Amino acid sequence: MSDEHQTGAETIRWDLADLYTSQDDLFAALTTANGDAAGFHDDYHGRIAALTAADLAVAIGRYESIVDALGRAYTYAYLYWVTDTNDAARGALLQKVRESYTAASQKLIFFDLEWSRVDTDRAAAFLDSPELARYKHHLELLLRRRAHLLTEPEEKVMSELDVAGRSAWNRLFDETMSAMRFELDGKSITEQEVLAKLHEPDRDLRRRAALSFTDGLQAQSHTLTFIGNTLLSDKSIKDRLRAYPHWLSSRNLDNEVDDATVDALVAAVVSRYDLAERFYRLKQRLLGVEQMHDYDRYAPVGEANTRYSWKEAHEVVLDAYHSFHPQMGSIAGEFFERSWIDAAVRPGKRGGAFSHGAVPSVHPYIMMNFTGRIRDVQTLAHELGHGVHQYLSREQGVLHADTPLTTAETASVFGEMLVFQRLMQKEKDPRNRLSMLVGKIDDSMATVFRQVAMNRFENVIHTERREKGELSTERFSELWIETQEAMFGGSVTLGEHYRLWWSYIPHFHHTPGYVYAYAFGELLVLALYQQYRESENGFAENYIELLRAGGSDFPHVLVGRLGVDLTDHDFWQTGLRSIEALIEEAESMGAADTA
């Protein structure tokens, strides 16, 4: 990155010593975990149904310790690799740990299978026993999956083959994308850097960046298409073997939400595609262009394209978090003070951003690529929301610390909203306020409407792969354009170059079906934030308790304590009306600005 674009984040790298101080310690821990897994297998294999509730609680405690130890090792290897995916030694370490992790996990597979086949009446008695209260939700989730579990030998084969199957193909995808360079104005830049240009005020620069990005994707289109087809086939085979009726059924089960609720969410968003069209026609007028192109979608409106230093971003986010709840601010502060964040942009580092929950015995880590844009400040707020959530939920233990994807985005999107409102309160210039408001709606368009449009793309590619066989690059592109154009309603022109942009999105491969969870989280947060604004007191404490609960109960039960009814299929319209209100406000501010 050139000197004039220095942000102070160039030296912000995480310290993985809290996981292990050396790779020798890592392998020693893996050896111990494998031994503990073997001992667990010897002590309990074939005996789960005969245990008393107290004995089962002891067994699960041992199981938790092994899973935590294995997760700790895998976390280190993955985080070490993800910041330099071009380093063969790091890739080799990740693969070695993955294989050891799988070998230990093989010895634990019997537990879930034996529990899921316990007699229904006996299982119900176990779930009601005080000795197993801490593990109740995990146990009931296993029972819900019993119809989709295979025999123990079959489950072991499935697990073993994943190392050289799905996991390997995902690694190839990540390494391919991380290694790609995009030629722009005589410079060779990373994926993260070229995509950042789409947020620049210079329209011709945005256009050149879009074309450069497509050129890079085109060069790897054969590989990316093959990876896509292979992983679609992999999921189809597994869904068939496990008797899932639909490509999304397993994801919905993991998300602890029924198919009808997801269908209602998707239908609600699709029914309001008019809001996307309305917003982009407003943005076209504000930008003063005759026609909106795909590379104009994230263009800044006005002066709020200000760059932020890492220090400024740090201060803004912590200020917003502290103001909401001191504990939230205090926990977020630890990420900065104790080097739990890796924010530097560098070759070989994976693009995008995430917060890795690690395991309860350690703490989360955040990865992002900070370039100083306002959206990077929002990304920092987003990932710190995840981080605070993961930090608080550790007390639930390794089986309940993680939340399903549907509520995993709650804290992150709420954190973004807190920071956005903080920035708006401080900004007095009407033009800057308009620019910031448009930027916020940009995010809602990307989080709600674009993600549901991508869900529609996933739906057609999974369906077509199963019904007709392999998709060509051109067929992927046709389905991508069809599902994207439906969202815009003619308000945005999608260029020929845009046809390949399905091929760089990692969620389609890593977590099929993930994307609707973003819309779920955004619309849920809009409802929660409205409650926060209307409540006189107590909301912040209840919200912290929601985060602390992690995945210890069903999402509709946990958020129900805050007065939200996820089972009401009309609920999604509440969030959509909030987005409509933001658009109306932007239209009003835009009219005043041009008057």
Side-chain angles (χ1 to χ4, degrees):
M1 186 177 294
S2 58
D3 291 342
E4 65 267 23
H5 289 167
Q6 296 290 301
T7 65
E10 294 76 23
T11 59
I12 304 301
R13 304 191 180 194
W14 51 34
D15 180 357
L16 301 182
D18 288 347
L19 292 164
Y20 300 101
T21 55
S22 71
Q23 290 185 19
D24 287 341
D25 290 343
L26 163 68
F27 288 116
L30 269 175
T31 298
T32 299
N34 269 274
D36 290 343
F40 182 83
H41 182 276
D42 292 343
D43 291 343
Y44 292 108
H45 187 266
R47 296 185 53 224
I48 298 301
L51 296 176
T52 65
D55 289 339
L56 183 57
V58 171
I60 297 175
R62 284 179 61 181
Y63 179 91
E64 274 194 302
S65 296
I66 298 166
V67 172
D68 189 281
L70 292 172
R72 189 177 188 132
Y74 191 85
T75 296
Y76 177 90
Y78 179 73
L79 297 184
Y80 183 62
W81 169 77
V82 82
T83 53
D84 190 356
T85 63
N86 295 337
D87 184 341
R90 295 182 186 223
L93 174 66
L94 175 63
Q95 187 66 12
K96 186 173 183 179
V97 170
R98 182 178 283 145
E99 291 170 1
S100 182
Y101 179 102
T102 300
S105 298
Q106 292 274 304
K107 302 179 181 72
L108 305 178
I109 285 174
F110 78 91
F111 178 82
D112 289 359
L113 295 172
E114 290 189 26
W115 163 252
S116 71
R117 291 175 179 133
V118 168
D119 175 80
T120 301
D121 291 338
R122 183 167 173 76
F126 275 138
L127 293 179
D128 289 337
S129 67
E131 295 94 337
L132 291 168
R134 176 175 173 81
Y135 306 117
K136 179 179 179 178
H137 188 56
H138 177 71
L139 293 174
E140 62 186 351
L141 289 177
L142 290 176
L143 292 176
R144 285 162 62 97
R145 294 188 178 95
R146 67 167 70 188
H148 307 294
L149 295 175
L150 307 176
T151 65
E152 184 177 341
E154 289 170 333
E155 290 289 352
K156 286 184 175 180
V157 170
M158 295 276 276
S159 174
E160 194 86 39
L161 289 177
D162 254 353
V163 175
R166 177 177 175 274
S167 295
W169 286 106
N170 274 308
R171 176 183 164 190
L172 175 61
F173 173 82
D174 287 343
E175 292 187 357
T176 299
M177 292 304 304
S178 296
M180 288 172 65
R181 294 296 176 269
F182 305 88
E183 301 302 318
L184 182 63
D185 298 339
K187 297 179 181 178
S188 180
I189 59 178
T190 66
E191 173 194 351
Q192 197 68 25
E193 290 172 314
V194 73
L195 290 177
K197 304 300 183 187
L198 299 178
H199 298 257
E200 292 281 356
D202 184 336
R203 192 183 196 199
D204 193 58
L205 175 57
R206 296 196 303 270
R207 182 188 63 80
R208 296 196 311 273
L211 295 176
S212 172
F213 188 57
T214 298
D215 287 344
L217 295 177
Q218 182 66 55
Q220 295 291 339
S221 62
H222 177 76
T223 299
L224 296 174
T225 299
F226 192 82
I227 292 172
N229 271 305
T230 301
L231 288 171
L232 287 174
S233 179
D234 177 87
K235 177 160 173 53
S236 176
I237 291 168
K238 290 173 179 173
D239 284 351
R240 174 172 51 80
L241 293 174
R242 295 189 181 281
Y244 284 114
H246 185 266
W247 76 272
L248 199 53
S249 297
S250 62
R251 176 59 51 213
N252 293 345
L253 189 60
D254 286 345
N255 284 344
E256 301 176 38
V257 62
D258 59 73
D259 292 353
T261 297
V262 176
D263 290 344
L265 162 68
V266 171
V269 174
V270 170
S271 75
R272 295 310 315 268
Y273 273 175
D274 63 288
L275 293 179
E277 179 180 357
R278 179 177 171 183
F279 170 68
Y280 287 113
R281 294 200 186 283
L282 167 64
K283 189 163 185 179
Q284 175 190 346
R285 295 196 298 273
L286 294 175
L287 290 173
V289 297
E290 291 185 5
Q291 188 176 38
M292 279 285 286
H293 287 274
D294 54 89
Y295 49 78
D296 295 322
R297 288 171 300 145
Y298 303 119
V301 173
E303 296 298 320
N305 191 39
T306 309
R307 286 186 178 273
Y308 289 79
S309 68
W310 177 252
K311 181 175 182 295
E312 290 169 333
H314 172 176
E315 292 171 349
V316 165
V317 174
L318 286 192
D319 183 39
Y321 275 34
H322 271 293
S323 296
F324 175 74
H325 194 286
Q327 186 179 14
M328 195 165 164
S330 176
I331 294 170
E334 288 196 59
F335 282 81
F336 296 96
E337 296 160 10
R338 303 178 67 177
S339 299
W340 297 350
I341 304 176
D342 195 295
V345 177
R346 55 192 185 274
K349 182 178 178 181
R350 179 182 153 177
F354 63 76
S355 180
H356 195 301
V359 289
S361 61
V362 196
H363 54 75
Y365 283 91
I366 288 173
M367 190 217 80
M368 65 176 299
N369 291 269
F370 188 85
T371 62
R373 302 296 189 189
I374 190 170
R375 63 188 174 81
D376 292 325
V377 181
Q378 291 290 78
T379 296
L380 178 60
H382 181 102
E383 300 306 339
L384 276 170
H386 280 307
V388 170
H389 195 176
Q390 293 158 344
Y391 185 97
L392 285 168
S393 68
R394 291 183 306 161
E395 65 188 60
Q396 300 297 335
V398 73
L399 301 181
H400 285 155
D402 289 341
T403 63
L405 296 177
T406 41
T407 48
E409 295 299 327
T410 304
S412 54
V413 179
F414 196 89
E416 279 191 72
M417 184 65 80
L418 289 174
V419 170
F420 169 71
Q421 294 294 345
R422 198 71 172 176
L423 292 170
M424 285 288 281
Q425 289 170 7
K426 290 183 175 183
E427 183 56 62
K428 303 305 179 185
D429 187 317
R431 293 185 178 181
N432 280 348
R433 286 175 58 82
L434 172 60
S435 177
M436 292 167 63
L437 178 58
V438 170
K440 178 58 183 173
I441 302 172
D442 276 334
D443 292 341
S444 292
M445 289 297 120
T447 305
V448 176
F449 294 98
R450 182 169 183 260
Q451 299 299 332
V452 166
M454 290 200 295
N455 164 272
R456 298 296 78 202
F457 172 69
E458 280 194 286
N459 183 63
V460 292
I461 61 174
H462 279 280
T463 301
E464 186 156 321
R465 180 67 180 84
R466 295 173 187 211
E467 294 178 354
K468 299 181 181 180
E470 269 197 8
L471 284 72
S472 65
T473 302
E474 181 55 31
R475 185 55 179 159
F476 272 116
S477 299
E478 287 173 358
L479 295 172
W480 171 251
I481 289 295
E482 287 174 10
T483 51
Q484 292 290 295
E485 285 182 335
M487 178 186 84
F488 293 114
S491 61
V492 176
T493 298
L494 303 180
E496 186 68 19
H497 65 275
Y498 190 70
R499 296 173 69 84
L500 271 177
W501 286 32
W502 56 269
S503 62
Y504 83 95
I505 299 170
H507 294 321
F508 296 156
H509 307 314
H510 289 286
T511 320
Y514 185 156
V515 291
Y516 78 74
Y518 285 109
F520 193 113
E522 175 85 1
L523 296 178
L524 172 58
V525 164
L526 287 170
L528 289 176
Y529 194 79
Q530 188 63 30
Q531 284 196 21
Y532 166 54
R533 294 180 65 179
E534 294 173 355
S535 65
E536 295 184 1
N537 52 57
F539 179 89
E541 290 295 338
N542 292 335
Y543 176 80
I544 292 294
E545 288 306 308
L546 171 66
L547 303 191
R548 183 173 280 115
S552 59
D553 211 330
F554 291 102
H556 70 272
V557 173
L558 295 178
V559 300
R561 297 169 188 169
L562 291 175
V564 171
D565 184 3
L566 292 181
T567 64
D568 179 2
H569 290 174
D570 291 331
F571 164 74
W572 307 114
Q573 296 295 339
T574 303
L576 291 164
R577 284 193 291 271
S578 295
I579 294 174
E580 186 171 25
L582 291 175
I583 295 172
E584 289 172 351
E585 184 180 358
E587 288 171 335
S588 177
M589 292 174 67
D593 185 60
T594 56

